[in-house]
Amino acid sequence: MSVFPTRRLRRLRSSQTLRDMLTEVRLSRHQLIAPLFVREGQGVKMEIPSMMGHYQHSVDTALDVVRRWSDKGLRAVLLFGIPDTKDAVGSIAWDGDAATQRLASEIKAGIPDMLVITDVCLCEYTGHGHCGTLYTRPDGQVDVDNDATLESLARTAVSHAQAGADIVSPSAAMDGQVAAIRTGLDEAGFQSTAIMSYSVKFASNLYGPFRDMVGSVPQSGDRRSYQMDFRSVRQSILEAQSDIDEGADIIMVKPAATYLDVIADVRRRFNVPLAAYHVSGEFAMIKAASQAGWLDERGAVTEITMAIKRAGADLIITYFAEQLAEWLDE
Ligand code: PBG
């Protein structure tokens, strides 16, 4: 027997007011994190075509951007550094005078309410483009040396904390990276510096534009011996659990819009705050289609960002943060 005409689902969709009242998912600019890329130099603002609207900035021009974002109501930035010189271990990553550290301290000095989160990884700083120090395994394969890399990551995180970072965010996908960083921070007196770990990070084909931006394409091989295989989704649970046990304050799933199932699953199982990273390739797809006139950008971006929120993310790292800050009404 049909419930129609008693049940009419369209009744509750009949006015804007009703639709607004019944909204189950809210997205606020306070939940967004805006990535920002900083390099050496003065007055630099270099656009990277695959990341339309995003630039390599020097510290001075980056600071102007952070001021503008702050005026628009954004509350958090995620900093990535692009060094002038690279070496085998990525030692500029923990140089206290490098661009990331200088920008972090200038933001905290000039715009103290802006939350400074720093990406802790070595791929931007190593000549070979991998996320740590290389070694040759007993079977002859060249691979990233997990435990040697932990020390570099901890040093990098401590140097970011010394520069004023509120949260450090390890993305190297090394086992034990959260524990190593927590120990390093605590020993240096930074008990209150939080860790947002890229816990569930897939070896994705959607990081291409980011690697154009920071110049971190591996010279040989790929990242599949450390980042997760996108066909093996159950490992997400162990990755997230391990990071929480090691002391992660916030965990992350990355990419986001193509991994909504993973976000929802991690959300259900764990009670720590969850971030999701809407990555560069996901950004570029929407941007390109909008530029071609094939998608309405505002509509598409709002819908997809809401979908990430609806799946269970508390925080969203997005290259659309500035536009969303203009579009959202909260
Ligand atoms: C590693 C890192 C990457 C991204 C964030 N941190 C690249 C990678 O793992 O190869 C990708 C982010 C994006 O595509 O937007 N430092």
Side-chain angles (χ1 to χ4, degrees):
M1 197 185 72
S2 167
V3 292
F4 179 82
T6 311
R7 177 180 294 157
R8 286 180 182 273
L9 292 165
R10 290 184 56 195
R11 257 182 228 120
L12 295 181
R13 296 175 200 150
S14 60
S15 76
Q16 182 70 42
T17 310
L18 261 176
R19 291 193 296 269
D20 287 347
M21 282 182 80
L22 294 172
T23 297
E24 294 167 47
V25 183
R26 307 203 93 95
L27 183 63
S28 152
R29 52 178 76 84
H30 295 173
Q31 297 159 332
L32 304 178
I33 299 170
L36 182 59
F37 300 94
V38 63
R39 60 174 306 150
E40 302 301 327
Q42 189 68 44
V44 179
K45 185 185 175 190
M46 200 167 97
E47 186 162 29
I48 300 300
S50 56
M51 295 206 63
M52 203 178 300
H54 290 272
Y55 304 83
Q56 295 185 351
H57 285 280
S58 47
V59 173
D60 55 332
T61 65
L63 205 55
D64 295 339
V65 172
V66 179
R67 253 191 220 101
R68 188 178 79 223
W69 288 349
S70 173
D71 291 343
K72 290 184 180 179
L74 292 176
R75 298 289 184 83
V77 288
L78 174 59
L79 307 185
F80 294 93
I82 306 164
D84 277 347
T85 56
K86 305 185 187 226
D87 62 25
V89 296
S91 60
I92 304 290
W94 58 87
D95 178 342
D97 292 326
T100 301
Q101 286 85 343
R102 288 191 340 265
L103 179 58
S105 69
E106 297 229 6
I107 295 171
K108 292 319 292 186
I111 316 156
D113 288 341
M114 181 61 80
L115 195 80
V116 173
I117 310 174
T118 54
D119 184 83
V120 176
C121 193
L122 302 160
C123 62
E124 300 93 338
Y125 300 91
T126 54
H128 47 72
H130 281 286
C131 299
T133 303
L134 298 181
Y135 80 128
T136 305
R137 294 193 317 216
D139 64 3
Q141 287 282 318
V142 173
D143 198 358
V144 175
D145 184 339
N146 192 87
D147 298 10
T149 301
L150 295 181
E151 200 178 314
S152 305
L153 294 170
R155 288 177 79 168
T156 303
V158 169
S159 87
H160 291 174
Q162 280 164 344
D166 300 288
I167 301 180
V168 294
S169 196
S171 67
M174 294 297 123
D175 288 326
Q177 62 182 3
V178 173
I181 288 173
R182 187 69 270 157
T183 303
L185 289 172
D186 289 354
E187 282 174 3
F190 293 103
Q191 287 84 358
S192 59
T193 304
I195 300 175
M196 175 172 79
S197 180
Y198 288 68
S199 307
V200 183
K201 176 171 179 175
F202 289 92
S204 174
N205 296 285
L206 302 172
Y207 305 150
F210 173 94
R211 292 179 191 168
D212 294 341
M213 173 66 87
V214 303
S216 69
V217 180
Q219 299 285 300
S220 63
D222 53 46
R223 304 209 202 289
R224 287 183 293 176
S225 81
Y226 40 108
Q227 298 179 352
M228 290 172 61
D229 190 312
F230 51 79
R231 300 166 299 181
S232 302
V233 71
R234 284 198 297 265
Q235 291 181 11
S236 314
I237 305 310
L238 281 175
E239 288 284 3
Q241 184 70 64
S242 301
D243 278 7
I244 293 168
D245 294 346
E246 288 177 33
D249 300 283
I250 302 172
I251 57 175
M252 191 201 299
V253 171
K254 173 185 171 205
T258 39
Y259 291 81
L260 297 179
D261 55 329
V262 181
I263 295 173
D265 195 22
V266 170
R267 167 73 299 150
R268 264 195 302 275
R269 289 173 197 256
F270 301 104
N271 286 321
V272 299
L274 173 62
Y277 198 143
H278 194 217
V279 299
S280 60
E282 296 176 309
F283 164 82
M285 288 192 272
I286 301 170
K287 207 73 188 172
S290 306
Q291 291 293 312
W294 298 338
L295 277 180
D296 170 58
E297 186 170 357
R298 178 174 177 165
V301 170
T302 307
E303 181 177 340
I304 292 167
T305 313
M306 283 274 186
I308 297 168
K309 190 78 205 306
R310 193 181 61 227
D314 300 298
L315 304 172
I316 301 175
I317 303 159
T318 170
Y319 299 102
F320 292 111
E322 181 170 7
Q323 286 164 280
L324 282 163
E326 289 167 10
W327 296 332
L328 295 173
D329 50 22
E330 55 184 297

